[in-house]
Amino acid sequence: MAIDPTAAANNSAAATGRTRMADSYETFMSLLTAQIKNQDPLSPMDSTQFTQQLVQMTGVEQQLLTNDLLEKLVTNTGSGIQTSVSLLGRDVRAVNSDAKLTAGKAEWSYKLDREATEVTIEVLNEFGKTVQIIKPTDNKAGDHTFTWNGKDRTDQQLPNGGTYTLKVTAKDSAGAAVPVTNFVQGVVTGVEQVNGQTLITVNGVKVGWEKVTSIAEAPKPPTTTPESEPAA
């Protein structure tokens, strides 16, 4: 990966400046504490001078906080929001185990690192309770798609809008666990930042943008040809 020498120098200078300000603040507090402890009771420190010193060092402390906030803002803007906005309207695949039940179904993808002899798929509700268990027959290594019809183990149709989690357990012929990665795939419909983390919305579920593994053009809706009117 290429490194921008100018950016690296700026980052180094910023770090050095912050360290110096922090050291100065610590030194000031140590000296001020020592001065208060050892001042002459008959000739105490002038309150005006004391106040001015506190105001000056408070300004230094505020500058340190401002630098931290600016650094965070630059990081978010440069590598998070800008990149994520470009994903709007794109079809993406992201590492994620959650999906919304919409129009009576929810869909996931999962990848088996190697062929398995036994695979168990569980659908969990928001409370972590298993609502459905499936035993797929295609357990070859590679990508698989699982579409759930929204029905629980009693064959009752669950209401739309709920968020459900996919849990896939796989074992090989020796009984050893086969690594599994879950994915969600769909068109990105939103981008937002929450607590400094950039999230994208895919199929109604929020996913960290850094979880995206593939990007493609969104599928175009099928075109319909108008029926011709019957001849008179």
Side-chain angles (χ1 to χ4, degrees):
M1 180 177 64
I3 298 177
D4 184 348
T6 302
N10 290 339
N11 291 338
S12 177
T16 301
R18 190 189 189 287
T19 301
R20 287 177 179 174
M21 283 196 293
D23 291 343
S24 297
Y25 181 77
E26 293 296 332
T27 301
F28 166 77
M29 294 305 297
S30 298
L31 291 174
L32 181 60
T33 302
Q35 186 176 2
I36 293 174
K37 287 182 178 180
N38 299 289
Q39 65 180 331
D40 184 355
L42 301 177
S43 181
M45 181 190 305
D46 179 56
S47 60
T48 302
Q49 180 184 5
F50 177 74
T51 302
Q52 288 177 346
Q53 291 177 340
L54 283 179
V55 169
Q56 289 175 355
M57 293 314 296
T58 299
V60 173
E61 184 180 23
Q62 291 298 322
Q63 185 61 50
L64 292 174
L65 293 174
T66 300
N67 287 351
D68 288 341
L69 291 173
L70 286 174
E71 181 179 357
K72 184 177 180 181
L73 177 62
V74 169
T75 300
N76 289 340
T77 302
S79 61
I81 284 291
Q82 286 185 349
T83 303
S84 300
V85 167
S86 66
L87 298 178
L88 283 170
R90 296 293 188 92
D91 188 76
V92 303
R93 188 187 196 201
V95 177
N96 187 64
S97 298
D98 295 336
K100 284 268 190 187
L101 182 60
T102 305
K105 69 175 184 178
E107 187 172 277
W108 295 267
S109 297
Y110 63 93
K111 180 180 180 180
L112 298 175
D113 275 14
R114 61 178 186 273
E115 186 173 1
T117 56
E118 181 183 354
V119 175
T120 302
I121 295 177
E122 296 179 69
V123 179
L124 285 63
N125 64 15
E126 58 183 322
F127 303 107
K129 179 182 178 181
T130 300
V131 297
Q132 187 57 274
I133 298 178
I134 302 293
K135 293 279 192 178
T137 56
D138 181 8
N139 301 328
K140 295 180 181 179
D143 293 334
H144 300 265
T145 299
F146 171 65
T147 302
W148 175 48
N149 61 7
K151 294 184 178 181
D152 64 13
R153 301 177 71 182
T154 65
D155 206 37
Q156 180 180 355
Q157 184 69 44
L158 298 177
N160 292 322
T163 299
Y164 294 86
T165 302
L166 184 73
K167 179 181 177 182
V168 181
T169 306
K171 296 180 181 180
D172 60 19
S173 57
V178 175
V180 182
T181 305
N182 296 336
F183 300 93
V184 63
Q185 184 162 348
V187 176
V188 178
T189 56
V191 176
E192 62 181 291
Q193 277 200 325
V194 178
N195 297 326
Q197 183 183 11
T198 303
L199 303 176
I200 61 175
T201 302
V202 183
N203 294 344
V205 176
K206 300 183 189 306
V207 185
W209 73 275
E210 72 282 358
K211 300 290 186 179
V212 173
T213 60
S214 66
I215 306 169
E217 292 291 341
K220 296 181 180 180
T223 57
T224 57
T225 304
E227 296 182 2
S228 57
E229 296 183 359

